[in-house]
Amino acid sequence: MSQQDASSVRALSERLLIASHKGQADHVVQLINKGAKVAITKNGRTPLHLAAYKGHIVVVRILLAAGCDLDIQDDGDQTALHRAAVVGNADVISALIQEGCALDRQDKDGNTALHEAAWHGFGQSVKLLVKAGANVHAKNKAGNTALHLACQNGHAQSSKVLLLGGSCPDSKNSVGDTCLHVSARYNHVSVIRALLSAICSVTERNHAGDTALHIAAALNHRKTVRMLLEAGADSRIKNNTGETALDQARENDNPEVALLLTKAPQVGKDLEPNMTHQMRNNIFNNSNPDCTIVTPSISRHFEAFIFQV
């Protein structure tokens, strides 16, 4: 290829980046037919990354049909699937899955696309990824599963989908927190209810020796404390400093929580034996994900040459 031809291709490829970002489908087709190759931005992103993030499904399908590499990772090690999951573009995620993209590539922080969808609470995207076989047990560099992240941000629907998909609520992150610890810390009652319905452990201790009850008591989360007690949490468990949840409540001047904890045996008597099983049946309904799409037939002639822009 002469220097002049290379310069012409580079210009076409730069224009392809812009057209993909803007969702200009007709222009994308014209540029590909004129010989545009895969250029990348200063962040290492391809036209497919840009179109996936912006939700330009027609452009995404054109690029896929023309042979664009599905799994190129940008400078943050994110694929187009990551970029679609960050913003919950379910149609794009479906198209990428149908084309056979890698589901469990991890970015520089160890997050998969499922982590991203769960963190942001995009329930439909979580369903699509779980149904396609994304690894619900994958952990990022902080040791968090996708369920940990959904629980941290209070995304109950995404949490339910992950639990149905086989995610373990008692999996621990790098500080020993289970999903119940995380939910109790942020006082996400609806998520806690889902975890209890999935028969999670209420006695697991993190690296500091704290149970979820210790955390809720220290932070004055009364409703969470009550739910944990009713689910069978043991208020007598001591952490690594020898403190019970009651000690934590008193230390942090939470008298109402302290009162609940002093009455813990009475509260526990109110628990019906089959409560958690009944809750599970009530909560987990209408949860079958559907990710069927139709991809148009387009001639594959898009050569994956890389240009730095």
Side-chain angles (χ1 to χ4, degrees), residues 1-129:
M1 182 184 294
S2 69
Q3 185 174 356
Q4 182 176 358
D5 289 340
S7 178
S8 176
V9 170
R10 182 184 295 275
L12 290 171
S13 302
E14 291 176 4
R15 289 164 59 190
L16 180 60
L17 281 170
I18 296 170
S20 298
H21 177 74
K22 292 183 176 181
Q24 298 169 335
D26 291 342
H27 196 194
V28 168
V29 172
Q30 292 171 8
L31 290 167
I32 292 173
N33 289 337
K34 288 180 179 179
K37 310 302 180 187
V38 176
I40 58 174
T41 68
K42 61 182 180 181
N43 296 317
R45 291 174 184 156
T46 67
L48 186 58
H49 281 98
L50 302 181
Y53 180 76
K54 297 296 288 186
H56 300 314
I57 183 61
V58 175
V59 172
V60 167
R61 287 173 173 157
I62 292 168
L63 293 170
L64 292 177
C68 190
D69 190 332
L70 285 166
D71 299 318
I72 291 178
Q73 292 172 279
D74 64 18
D75 291 352
D77 289 336
Q78 291 201 331
T79 64
L81 186 64
H82 281 95
R83 300 304 295 161
V86 165
V87 287
N89 284 328
D91 287 343
V92 173
I93 290 171
S94 294
L96 293 169
I97 289 172
Q98 187 177 23
E99 197 68 15
C101 69
L103 297 174
D104 298 318
R105 290 283 178 88
Q106 292 177 290
D107 66 16
K108 65 179 182 180
D109 296 316
N111 291 313
T112 65
L114 185 58
H115 281 93
E116 291 287 3
W119 170 260
H120 293 285
F122 296 123
Q124 182 62 24
S125 297
V126 171
K127 286 182 182 180
L128 291 171
L129 290 164

Side-chain angles (χ1 to χ4, degrees), residues 193-234:
R193 186 174 293 113
L195 293 171
L196 294 176
S197 300
I199 322 297
C200 70
S201 171
V202 293
T203 58
E204 290 292 331
R205 291 187 271 187
N206 62 19
H207 293 342
D210 290 324
T211 64
L213 187 61
H214 281 92
I215 293 170
L219 295 172
N220 200 31
H221 297 328
R222 283 185 297 163
K223 189 167 185 178
T224 294
V225 168
R226 178 176 288 278
M227 289 176 66
L228 292 171
L229 289 172
E230 290 178 346
D234 188 347

